[in-house]
Amino acid sequence: MIRTTSSFGADDILWNWARWCWAGETVGNMQPYTSWDETFQPILIEHAQAVDRLHRALPRPAQMVVIAEYPQKNVRFGRLNAAQRRVMARRWIGDTTGVWLTNEHYGACLDRFMTTIEKELL
């Protein structure tokens, strides 16, 4: 278990993980993303690896919910508002996995993972 003494929240830790994902090889159906608008933030590798371990333990559709909301949010869904992003992400997840999530289940997957991050890493 990694504890942080800074003012990081689960969202910060997940964006750190997203930056860590972008820093490595692009795999599967993920599109590469480089942010030109954000200021540089160092990657906290230990935190990112802890998130990655938790993420890998999820069922594939739940993994893809987290991917849609973090590493692929801006590159794949960047021009969409939150409601549109969920619709398109659910379609992407369904096309990829054959599992068609409801909007409620999509939100629940994200909420559960955020809660797990808070319990395990904060």
Side-chain angles (χ1 to χ4, degrees):
M1 183 177 338
I2 298 172
R3 296 286 180 199
T4 180
T5 57
S6 72
S7 61
F8 270 16
D11 190 62
D12 299 310
I13 289 174
L14 285 166
W15 280 115
N16 178 72
W17 171 71
R19 288 191 307 277
W20 179 77
C21 290
W22 300 326
E25 288 284 322
T26 302
V27 296
N29 61 356
M30 289 180 61
Q31 298 176 20
Y33 176 72
T34 303
S35 172
W36 304 108
D37 298 331
E38 297 175 16
T39 56
F40 173 77
Q41 293 181 359
I43 297 170
L44 304 174
I45 294 171
E46 190 176 346
H47 283 105
Q49 290 172 336
V51 170
D52 199 58
R53 282 190 295 277
L54 295 169
H55 181 257
R56 288 177 186 269
L58 295 173
R60 186 66 180 142
Q63 287 178 346
M64 290 185 72
V65 167
V66 177
I67 290 167
E69 293 294 324
Y70 287 91
Q72 289 293 286
K73 180 178 182 176
N74 295 318
V75 66
R76 185 178 292 272
F77 308 109
R79 295 189 171 131
L80 305 174
N81 66 36
Q84 293 168 327
R85 182 175 61 254
R86 281 189 176 205
V87 168
M88 295 305 292
R90 289 173 33 232
R91 184 174 301 149
W92 176 57
I93 293 164
D95 288 344
T96 303
T97 68
V99 176
W100 299 90
L101 302 175
T102 64
N103 192 47
E104 292 77 20
H105 190 221
Y106 182 98
C109 288
L110 185 59
D111 291 345
R112 277 193 300 272
F113 194 65
M114 295 288 279
T115 299
T116 298
I117 295 299
E118 289 169 353
K119 287 180 182 176
E120 298 290 326
L121 302 179
L122 295 176

